[in-house]
Amino acid sequence: MGAMIVVPEDGLDLQGRVGGWGYTFGGGTAFTNARSYGYPVIGYNRPDSDFADGEYMMFCEGNIVDAANLNPLDDRLRMNCDMGGGSSGGPMAAGIGTSGGPRIVGVNSHRNVNSNGNYIDNYMFSANHGSTAVSIINAVNS
């Protein structure tokens, strides 16, 4: 996980200049009615042709849950999602369609694979934007 500062220019910050959603750091590990967005080329248990070679943005919708109990050294979030390669880096967002607007709570990162590199389940993972992310943001902002 990393962070950087983008200096405002002419009174506009980066989000004000090009648009964007806000982030939620330290906001928990469970989110309902969330979406994960990406441009997948492949997926899980679907023909690759369904994904149009990553030409179109797709999304999964559902709940994000705390997945840290799967590996005590990995503080992460999990969402049921069949998107695969090409969706990495896309946002996991909560608050879609609410007055507070979308808030990014995670980033599509990885899937479970077998020894041959094939997907073995319908789970998409993200690092938890919890205490570690808060520490990084605070360090960068100071």
Side-chain angles (χ1 to χ4, degrees):
M1 197 174 287
M4 66 181 194
I5 294 175
V6 178
V7 178
E9 183 178 290
D10 299 328
L12 281 177
D13 63 14
L14 182 61
Q15 186 172 344
R17 189 166 296 280
V18 299
W21 294 343
Y23 278 86
T24 294
F25 293 104
T29 56
F31 303 91
T32 58
N33 300 318
R35 286 189 181 171
S36 172
Y37 293 90
Y39 289 86
V41 176
I42 58 174
Y44 176 70
N45 272 350
R46 282 176 59 180
D48 292 347
S49 59
D50 283 1
F51 294 96
D53 291 327
E55 188 173 336
Y56 303 106
M57 182 171 63
M58 299 177 77
F59 68 91
C60 296
E61 190 168 46
N63 297 328
I64 295 173
V65 298
D66 188 334
N69 62 339
L70 300 175
N71 181 343
L73 302 177
D74 187 5
D75 191 14
R76 58 187 176 163
L77 306 175
R78 182 186 81 207
M79 183 175 192
N80 284 334
C81 186
D82 64 356
M83 294 189 301
S87 60
S88 294
M92 285 186 178
I96 306 293
T98 65
S99 61
R103 307 289 295 171
I104 297 171
V105 298
V107 178
N108 299 338
S109 174
H110 61 283
R111 301 185 59 89
N112 290 322
V113 297
N114 63 19
S115 60
N116 295 322
N118 298 314
Y119 303 141
I120 60 172
D121 56 34
N122 200 40
Y123 298 142
M124 173 80 74
F125 293 96
S126 168
N128 176 14
H129 290 179
S131 59
T132 300
V134 170
S135 296
I136 292 169
I137 292 298
N138 289 341
V140 169
N141 285 330
S142 66

